[in-house]
């Protein structure tokens, strides 16, 4: 009989680990326990499910539990919560949430892929009806039902990060009157201020109300139902629905209780093989601490791209591979109405904090030849070492074409390229697709001028 791999958590990291282990070593017995009613779903699609671009919740999942059993021979259990890990006995305690039964299973190898949970602010009426957090398919279904089945005209989003803004866009497109409240002085604070202001402008042009630099101090409820919020500056906002999106925290308590080491924000510490401080336990995804590819410092960067890769590495290594995770640049992108926003690598503040002497260069350049119709501006900012010119980070706003450019810049950072080397790249040109000097080359040439050689 094969060894038993148990995976806690059935989405990006967990299912990647389960599938990879089974592919590399088919004889391994794999069981996945997931506490919600869905597996292999993409939380990233939830705003578009709520916005009805994706019609049904089933479309968000790649496989049902039955399909995983039939097609991949992975025993998949939904509505099952792991409540305790006993590393000495190599057993888990489980709670079947439907049957309300507790039982235990043993493992030879364990992958913890428990992800993260929304941060819940400690304010009154936070659990009132109509106040939502967005993480699971069940959360998405509850929000979509509230919009479709109840008289919902006004929506309030607390938190002006990527998820908050994606929700603001989708709810506004559904015809709701949307207000975003952000505690910091500006939206997406990691972004260049000018870029952040451009995001603000596009939201306001699309009738999304913004209120920055103020904190929601109280949820106002009529009986059990949310009717508004009060902010720290004394203002009140009426609403029919509130979505709180102020960040996430790793689901690491069962790992901590089992004595596993944790680090940044209590995320589980793993080595480059995704192994925890226990020889038989691996962990991956939003529940783990990772490290920055440039500074090599520990960071907590919960992203779907990272979770999938880390899960695959953990599962492969359990089955006999020896692959390592190379670190993150926190590359990310989103769209708010017709404006795309992307970043990769270090911000100028992070680079300075890491001890680098940094400089930045910013350009605006059309994404097609100037005479070709339909061209749109690409705004690109490069962050680089003032002396060596080594590229540390990049940010971009503009048309959809910034996705390819930010990916190229992520590649350049990974390769340790300087802005001079970047300026010498042989990039494509055709009037209908890109100008003869690509915006990246223009930005790199601008940056080169700011490098001060000793
Ligand atoms: P999770 O997806 O959190 O999955 C962990 C699973 O473990 C959950 O299903 C949970 O129910 C289960 N679980 C937890 N504890 C237990 C337990 N004790 N027993 C059993 N099961 C348990 N990332 C991007 O890269 N790009 C995007 O565009 C993007 N958009 C996003 C939009 C939204 C609205 C959200 C919420 C997230 C978005 N993300 C995006 C982040 C991305 O979804 C996460 O990084 C990714 O889902 C992490 O995967 P994971 O498997 O580590 O954790």
């Amino acid at each position: 009989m094969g060894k038993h791999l148990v995976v806690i958590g059935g989405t990006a990291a967990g299912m990647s680990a389960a599938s990879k282990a089974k592919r590399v070593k088919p004889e391994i017995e794999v069981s996945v326990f997931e506490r919600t009613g869905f597996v292999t779903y993409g939380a990233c699609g939830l705003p578009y499910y709520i916005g009805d671009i994706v019609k049904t919740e089933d479309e968000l999942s790649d496989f049902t539990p039955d399909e995983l059993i039939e097609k991949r021979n992975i025993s998949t259990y939904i509505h099952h919560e792991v409540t305790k890990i006993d590393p000495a006995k190599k057993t888990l305690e489980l709670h079947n949430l439907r049957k309300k039964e507790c039982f235990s299973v043993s493992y030879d190898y364990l992958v913890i892929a428990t992800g993260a949970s929304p941060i819940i602010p400690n304010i009154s009426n936070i659990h009132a009806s109509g106040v939502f957090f967005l993480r699971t398919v069940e959360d998405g279904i509850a929000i979509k039902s509230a919009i479709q089945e109840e008289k919902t005209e006004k929506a309030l989003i607390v938190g002006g990060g990527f998820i908050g803004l994606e929700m603001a866009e989708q709810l506004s497109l559904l015809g709701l009157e949307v207000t975003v409240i952000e505690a910091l002085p500006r939206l997406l604070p990691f972004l260049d201020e000018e870029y952040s202001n451009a995001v603000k402008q596009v939201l306001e042009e699309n009738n999304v109300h913004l209120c920055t630099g103020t904190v929601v101090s109280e949820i106002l409820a009529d009986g059990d139902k949310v009717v508004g919020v009060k902010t720290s500056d004394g203002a009140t906002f009426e609403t029919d629905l509130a979505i709180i999106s102020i960040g996430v925290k790793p689901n690491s308590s069962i790992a901590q209780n089992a004595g596993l080491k944790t680090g940044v924000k209590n995320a589980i510490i793993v080595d480059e093989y995704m192994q925890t401080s226990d020889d038989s336990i691996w962990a991956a995804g939003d529940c783990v601490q990772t490290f920055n590819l440039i500074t090599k410092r520990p960071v907590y960067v919960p992203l779907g791209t990272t979770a999938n890769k880390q899960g695959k590495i953990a599962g492969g290594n359990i089955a006999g591979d020896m692959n390592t995770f190379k670190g993150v640049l926190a590359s990310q992108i989103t769209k708010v109405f017709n404006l795309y926003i992307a970043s990769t690598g270090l911000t100028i503040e992070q680079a300075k904090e890491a001890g680098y002497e940094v400089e930045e260069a910013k350009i605006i350049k059309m994404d097609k030849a100037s005479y070709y119709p339909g061209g749109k501006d690409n705004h690109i900012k490069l962050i680089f070492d003032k002396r060596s010119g080594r590229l540390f980070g990049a940010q971009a706003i503009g048309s959809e074409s910034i996705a390819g450019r930010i990916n190229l810049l992520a590649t350049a950072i990974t390769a340790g390229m300087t802005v001079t080397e970047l300026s010498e790249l042989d990039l494509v040109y055709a009037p209908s697709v890109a100008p003869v000097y690509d915006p990246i080359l223009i930005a790199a040439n601008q940056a080169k001028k700011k490098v001060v050689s000793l």
Side-chain angles (χ1 to χ4, degrees), residues 75-96:
S75 306
T76 308
Y77 304 86
I78 52 171
H79 303 299
H80 278 69
E81 181 169 25
V82 175
T83 50
K84 192 178 169 195
I85 304 167
D86 186 334
K89 293 188 186 148
K90 291 197 184 179
T91 56
L92 302 177
E93 282 180 20
L94 278 123
H95 187 195
N96 180 332

Side-chain angles (χ1 to χ4, degrees), residues 162 190 301-303 305 329-334 341-345 396 406:
F162 270 6
F190 62 92
V301 179
L303 282 173
T305 45
L329 288 177
S331 306
Q332 51 190 324
I333 188 162
T334 197
I341 307 142
S343 71
T344 184
I406 214 78

Side-chain angles (χ1 to χ4, degrees), residues 52-239:
D52 218 27
I53 291 173
V54 179
K55 297 290 173 197
T56 66
E57 57 272 19
D58 294 340
E59 292 168 65
L60 295 171
S61 296
D62 292 330
F63 294 99
T64 63
D66 286 346
E67 285 169 340
L68 284 163
I69 296 165
E70 280 162 29
K71 294 183 182 162
R72 298 211 171 166
N73 197 14
I74 295 172
S75 306
T76 308
Y77 304 86
I78 52 171
H79 303 299
H80 278 69
E81 181 169 25
V82 175
T83 50
K84 192 178 169 195
I85 304 167
D86 186 334
K89 293 188 186 148
K90 291 197 184 179
T91 56
L92 302 177
E93 282 180 20
L94 278 123
H95 187 195
N96 180 332
L97 301 168
R98 280 286 156 91
K99 292 189 175 165
K100 309 226 177 302
E101 285 169 5
C102 294
F103 63 104
S104 65
V105 295
S106 57
Y107 63 83
D108 297 295
Y109 315 108
L110 178 67
V111 173
I112 304 175
T114 45
S117 293
I119 293 172
I120 303 176
N122 187 16
I123 52 177
S124 54
N125 295 318
I126 191 69
H127 296 295
S129 149
V131 177
F132 295 99
F133 298 87
L134 182 58
R135 183 78 197 179
T136 63
V137 178
E138 280 88 348
D139 295 334
I141 293 171
I143 297 172
K144 193 162 178 164
S145 310
I147 293 166
Q148 290 180 343
E149 289 161 21
E150 293 166 26
K151 190 176 152 286
T152 305
E153 289 170 357
K154 290 183 180 174
L156 222 143
I157 313 286
V158 182
F162 270 6
I163 295 172
L165 298 189
E166 287 172 1
M167 281 312 306
E169 178 205 61
Q170 289 303 307
L171 296 185
S172 170
L173 291 173
L174 285 176
L176 271 64
E177 190 184 321
V178 181
T179 302
V180 177
I181 300 182
E182 164 59 49
L184 294 169
R186 57 194 172 86
L187 303 170
L188 303 173
F190 62 92
L191 267 191
D192 179 84
E193 189 167 359
E194 208 179 305
Y195 296 0
S196 178
N197 288 339
V199 177
K200 178 172 186 260
Q201 191 182 334
V202 83
L203 284 161
E204 285 174 342
E205 281 166 5
N206 285 280
N207 302 318
V208 173
H209 310 291
L210 299 173
C211 190
T212 51
T214 187
V215 176
V216 171
S217 54
E218 195 182 337
I219 305 280
L220 305 172
D222 182 5
D224 176 41
K225 175 83 181 78
V226 63
V227 290
V229 302
K230 196 170 178 181
T231 52
S232 50
D233 53 9
T236 56
F237 297 82
E238 284 180 12
T239 196

Side-chain angles (χ1 to χ4, degrees), residues 8-14 33-36 38 41 43-47 80-83 113-116 134-136 163 166 251 254 284-287 302-305 307 333:
I8 314 174
T11 65
F33 295 101
E34 164 58 48
R35 70 179 166 198
T36 72
F38 295 84
Y41 61 86
C44 316
L46 289 170
H80 278 69
E81 181 169 25
V82 175
T83 50
T114 45
L134 182 58
R135 183 78 197 179
T136 63
I163 295 172
E166 287 172 1
N251 291 329
I254 52 168
D286 283 10
C287 61
L303 282 173
T305 45
I333 188 162

